Amino acid sequence: LALEPTATYCLSLLWQLAEATGACREAESVARSYMAAQPENPTGYALLARSLAAQDRPEEAVREVVEQYLQRLPEARRSDKRRWLEYQVAAWQGHFDVAEKLAREAMDDAKGSNQLLARSAPARALAEVLLETGREADAAALAEDFLRRRDGWEPFAQADDHAVVGDASPDMLGILVRTARLDAATAATRRDAWAQAWNDLGAGPVTQRHIWL
């Protein structure tokens, strides 16, 4: 960044570091730098919205940035993204009834898909709401159902970090451990098998670090 202050890849990494360390004000500053460097790139707006929400800024401000983000997406992607962002805002604000409704709608829409990533995102979202509202038995049932069906879905064509992070399988194993449906040793064995499967699909060194996070 000292050589090229508008290097957005470097800005993204700096933002991730700030978020991971809880430096929310710094994350906001980095997000605004990203937006200044590439004002038509939606990524900067997504980073800013998350930074503002993390600081508990007014909902109206977060929604304003979310709308700016959506307007910079291709029109064909806006509808699905809008629902996902509405879910995130609702969960952030504690409107779990709204968040649950949106997550269940997304799960219903994904039923016709044979893609692992398409099935993972709504299942993970619904599980988060169920856990947050104290319905651990329901979350465990969802996790068990997801893992039983998983091998019937197709993984992303490329075994990249997007595909690995998008796979909700480790999250579902974690839910089963948390709810005492699965002991830690068995979960670790199944997690190792999951990691090996991604390695067999050709996960490279960069992707492999995501497998073990």
Side-chain angles (χ1 to χ4, degrees), residues 72-159:
R72 286 162 176 79
L73 289 177
E75 189 171 352
R77 294 180 57 199
R78 289 178 193 168
S79 178
D80 285 344
K81 277 290 185 181
R82 183 179 296 279
R83 178 166 58 188
W84 173 238
L85 292 169
E86 286 291 342
Y87 162 84
Q88 291 181 304
V89 172
W92 165 56
Q93 288 291 296
H95 303 315
F96 296 115
D97 54 338
V98 176
E100 180 176 350
K101 177 177 180 293
L102 292 168
R104 290 191 183 279
E105 287 177 357
M107 284 194 69
D108 286 343
D109 288 349
K111 283 181 178 178
S113 175
N114 71 337
Q115 296 298 304
L116 174 60
L117 293 188
R119 306 300 288 264
S120 286
R124 181 189 281 123
L126 180 57
E128 289 174 352
V129 172
L130 294 174
L131 290 173
E132 192 67 32
T133 53
R135 288 175 285 170
E136 292 195 345
D138 292 339
L142 172 66
E144 288 176 334
D145 183 68
F146 178 93
L147 292 169
R148 283 195 298 266
R149 296 172 184 271
R150 183 196 183 278
D151 289 344
W153 301 323
E154 293 298 312
F156 199 60
Q158 292 179 306

Side-chain angles (χ1 to χ4, degrees), residues 122-196:
R124 181 189 281 123
L126 180 57
E128 289 174 352
V129 172
L130 294 174
L131 290 173
E132 192 67 32
T133 53
R135 288 175 285 170
E136 292 195 345
D138 292 339
L142 172 66
E144 288 176 334
D145 183 68
F146 178 93
L147 292 169
R148 283 195 298 266
R149 296 172 184 271
R150 183 196 183 278
D151 289 344
W153 301 323
E154 293 298 312
F156 199 60
Q158 292 179 306
D160 58 13
D161 52 351
H162 171 69
V164 171
V165 173
D167 184 351
S169 301
D171 303 272
M172 299 305 171
L173 287 172
I175 290 171
L176 295 182
V177 173
R178 171 175 172 171
T179 57
R181 298 289 185 95
L182 198 64
D183 62 85
T186 302
T189 298
R190 292 178 64 174
R191 182 206 61 204
D192 290 347
W194 169 84
Q196 185 59 52

